[in-house]
Amino acid sequence: MILVLRALKLGDLLVAVPALRAIRRYWSGQQIVLATSGWLNPIVALTGCVDRLLPVRGLEPLPAVARFPDVAINLHGAGPQSNRILDDLRPARRLGHAGHGWPGPPWRIGLNERARWCRMLAAHGVPADPGDLHLNQPSTAGATSPAPDAVVVHVGASYGSKRWPAARFADVAGQLAADGHRVVLTGTTAEQWLAGAVAAAAGLPDEAVLAGRTSLPELAALVAQAAVVVSGDTGPAHLAYAYRTPSVTLFGPAPAREWGPPPGPHVALSADGLRAADPFSDRPDPALLGVHPETVIEAVRALLTSRRSARSGADHDEGAHLARQAGRPRGHCAGSADHRPD
């Protein structure tokens, strides 16, 4: 058994997907057990690289069923508590960062989180690719989007430091709706009131409020099939990265260089010079407040224009291919001696 610890939230799980995929490849014949928050199980299943989820609540001792693993891997952190929890399992081998009795590479400040865990594995001889972050489509688990091709605006965040003001979200949502786009608002059940306030200020109908009304698989499907996602640095932003969905992410206490998107149709916005870097503050970080609605609207419009152009080009290429196919003489096969393949 390979026991992996990552007892955190949605975004934290998603930045660890490249590492989890590397672990799956390296120990292809072993059972991979991930100790993490139980509510994340639908997303863990979409990684396609975990055999069993061991539900935990934060850094609590793991049950006896996790004892004596062949390998214990600390993808949670590099502190004494997470190391001690894994040491108590008496693993045959330990993979993590150096410190508190563990071998490994030193913890480095300022690394992108996907690269951090891949670097740690590579130092232990496990090849890993930070770009291997994508999830299986939610449809494979039977989930469907409640609003295909919508502009998804996620208004919530776990901490006030990452929560952009509701009035600014309303300005963005209202303008994008005025542009002719279907706009929906997401958040947790506890954030329904916030999404409702944004909808009212933006002039959106009640049915635009999806906060608290989607399961986790439905949220994944909504993001996977969205036209664009606008969000703070939260779980839905990382879902957009995982599905290559165009996104505009607003960064506050944590810089984009550490938690930001991979290459692709993603825009990271932040007033970096104003950052207070207190992730647990109840107030929005100054770096987040330095981002204004008109900047977000401009970024969304640019992404939507690029998306339309890409789709138009794909449709043109497909049409040209079908036209060439229709023009071929009957009774001939592409690649035959008397008919040159395209």
Side-chain angles (χ1 to χ4, degrees), residues 11 73 94 109 123 137 171 174 180 182 186 204 212 225 232 235 265-266 309 330:
I73 303 176
R94 304 175 301 176
I109 302 296
Q137 286 295 320
D171 286 347
R182 181 184 182 184
T186 57
L204 300 180
Q225 297 181 36
H266 310 295
S309 298
R330 293 188 178 180

Side-chain angles (χ1 to χ4, degrees):
M1 174 178 66
I2 312 300
L3 191 285
V4 183
L5 178 64
R6 183 73 173 171
L8 294 163
K9 297 180 180 180
L10 177 58
D12 304 291
L13 168 67
L14 293 173
V15 297
V17 167
L20 290 171
R21 289 191 179 280
I23 292 165
R24 171 79 283 166
R25 283 191 301 271
Y26 193 80
W27 285 285
S28 59
Q30 290 266 34
Q31 183 187 45
I32 308 298
V33 177
L34 175 64
T36 192
S37 306
W39 63 273
L40 290 173
N41 190 51
I43 303 302
V44 171
L46 293 175
T47 69
C49 53
V50 174
D51 297 306
R52 183 159 63 96
L53 184 147
L54 187 64
V56 295
R57 294 183 177 179
L59 290 178
E60 62 182 16
L62 298 180
V65 69
R67 296 192 72 190
F68 309 114
D70 297 292
V71 184
I73 303 176
N74 191 344
L75 293 186
H76 188 93
Q81 190 174 1
S82 57
N83 282 4
R84 184 165 52 248
I85 286 171
L86 292 174
D87 279 337
D88 288 345
L89 302 178
R90 298 176 64 184
R93 184 183 177 191
R94 304 175 301 176
L95 271 63
H97 287 89
H100 312 290
W102 279 50
W107 184 277
R108 280 180 52 187
I109 302 296
L111 286 181
N112 179 273
E113 282 297 300
R114 289 180 295 276
R116 175 184 305 287
W117 302 109
C118 290
R119 170 181 174 269
M120 183 273 288
L121 290 175
H124 287 282
V126 180
D129 176 9
D132 191 9
L133 72 157
H134 301 111
L135 298 177
N136 294 330
Q137 286 295 320
S139 57
T140 61
T144 58
S145 171
D149 216 35
V151 172
V152 176
V153 178
H154 186 78
V155 300
S158 298
Y159 298 99
S161 62
K162 293 185 175 185
R163 191 176 299 123
W164 210 39
R168 299 193 188 186
F169 273 125
D171 286 347
V172 171
Q175 184 57 64
L176 294 175
D179 286 350
H181 303 291
R182 181 184 182 184
V183 178
V184 296
L185 307 174
T186 57
T188 65
T189 300
E191 293 164 342
Q192 279 184 322
W193 69 271
L194 177 60
V198 171
L204 300 180
D206 291 342
E207 55 266 27
V209 177
L210 298 183
R213 298 175 182 171
T214 58
S215 65
L216 191 53
E218 287 171 334
L219 177 63
L222 176 68
V223 169
Q225 297 181 36
V228 67
V229 174
V230 179
S231 173
D233 176 24
T234 62
H238 290 278
L239 280 173
Y241 310 156
Y243 287 117
R244 303 182 183 89
T245 300
S247 65
V248 177
T249 306
L250 317 179
F251 286 85
R257 69 175 181 274
E258 295 179 16
W259 288 89
H266 310 295
V267 176
L269 297 176
S270 180
D272 290 337
L274 303 178
R275 179 164 290 109
D278 180 1
F280 304 113
S281 173
D282 291 332
R283 297 184 177 183
D285 192 279
L288 187 62
L289 293 178
V291 179
H292 299 284
E294 55 270 22
T295 307
V296 177
I297 293 166
E298 181 181 354
V300 171
R301 285 172 172 166
L303 286 171
L304 290 171
T305 298
S306 177
R307 182 172 180 263
R308 282 193 299 269
S309 298
R311 283 188 165 187
S312 176
D315 290 343
H316 175 78
D317 291 344
E318 182 179 1
H321 176 71
L322 291 174
R324 290 195 299 271
Q325 291 279 29
R328 286 175 176 160
R330 293 188 178 180
H332 288 71
C333 298
S336 65
D338 56 355
H339 191 84
R340 178 179 299 174
D342 292 333

